[in-house]
Amino acid sequence: MKDGVDLWEELGLEEYCHGEESVIAGVLEGATNRETGESVAEYAAHNEFGTNRIPSRPFLRQTFDEKAGEWADNLGKAVEAGYSPAGAFQLVGTRMAEDIQATIKSNMPPKNSEATIEQKRKKVDGGAKGESMVPGTLIDTGSLLSSIDYEVRR
């Protein structure tokens, strides 16, 4: 859904579109790691496309491929229900962000290396009963997950 105006036209709803409104979702500009203050965008790109040390876990592309049709349907239903273009985009943007977060939480393959699992375990060990929990493949500090948002652009 890179261009909301094209989506309106694809749905045959261009008469409801006023101007160049669109919706985007993902890691928005300015999102930072809450522990280090570093930009989340670079970390997100490393996970989305992979590096020589990090395997590709395309959480954005996978979510788009699986959910774009549903988002388009929801957009059409919102307009039919009487929402303004901006209101329809807000509803769909919220859903887009929720769907991306669900993919991040899904522990998408490939599995983390043993070294990564141990590193993550050390960050969360303890608790009142000495519990140990290892976050999923795309979760470490939680900054990527919490940085997922949407924006309606005009």
Side-chain angles (χ1 to χ4, degrees):
M1 198 170 204
K2 71 178 185 183
D3 184 350
V5 174
D6 287 346
L7 183 58
W8 285 106
E9 291 171 6
E10 181 181 320
L11 293 171
L13 301 171
E14 59 271 14
E15 68 269 23
Y16 299 103
C17 186
H18 303 286
E20 295 286 320
E21 290 180 328
S22 63
V23 63
I24 61 166
V27 178
L28 302 183
E29 186 176 347
T32 58
N33 181 302
R34 60 179 166 223
E35 290 182 2
T36 65
E38 296 174 300
S39 171
V40 176
E42 184 175 354
Y43 172 78
H46 290 166
N47 278 283
E48 180 73 19
F49 299 105
T51 69
N52 62 342
R53 295 181 48 205
I54 300 171
S56 175
R57 293 186 181 96
F59 62 97
L60 292 170
R61 290 175 290 163
Q62 179 177 313
T63 306
F64 181 84
D65 290 346
E66 292 175 1
K67 300 290 186 172
E70 185 178 319
W71 297 335
D73 290 344
N74 290 342
L75 187 62
K77 288 175 185 174
V79 170
E80 289 171 5
Y83 283 88
S84 68
F89 278 134
Q90 288 174 343
L91 287 173
V92 172
T94 298
R95 185 53 188 249
M96 291 167 72
E98 290 170 348
D99 289 342
I100 295 166
Q101 289 171 333
T103 302
I104 291 170
K105 291 177 186 176
S106 74
N107 202 27
M108 71 185 309
K111 180 182 172 188
N112 281 328
S113 71
E114 289 303 317
T116 300
I117 291 170
E118 195 55 36
Q119 179 184 15
K120 288 181 177 185
R121 180 176 285 119
K122 288 178 182 178
K123 289 183 180 181
V124 296
D125 268 349
K129 299 179 183 178
E131 301 96 353
S132 180
M133 186 274 299
V134 178
T137 54
L138 288 169
I139 300 174
D140 188 5
T141 66
S143 291
L144 175 61
L145 184 64
S146 66
S147 73
I148 301 299
D149 203 355
Y150 77 94
E151 179 177 284
V152 176
R153 294 189 171 172
R154 292 174 176 87

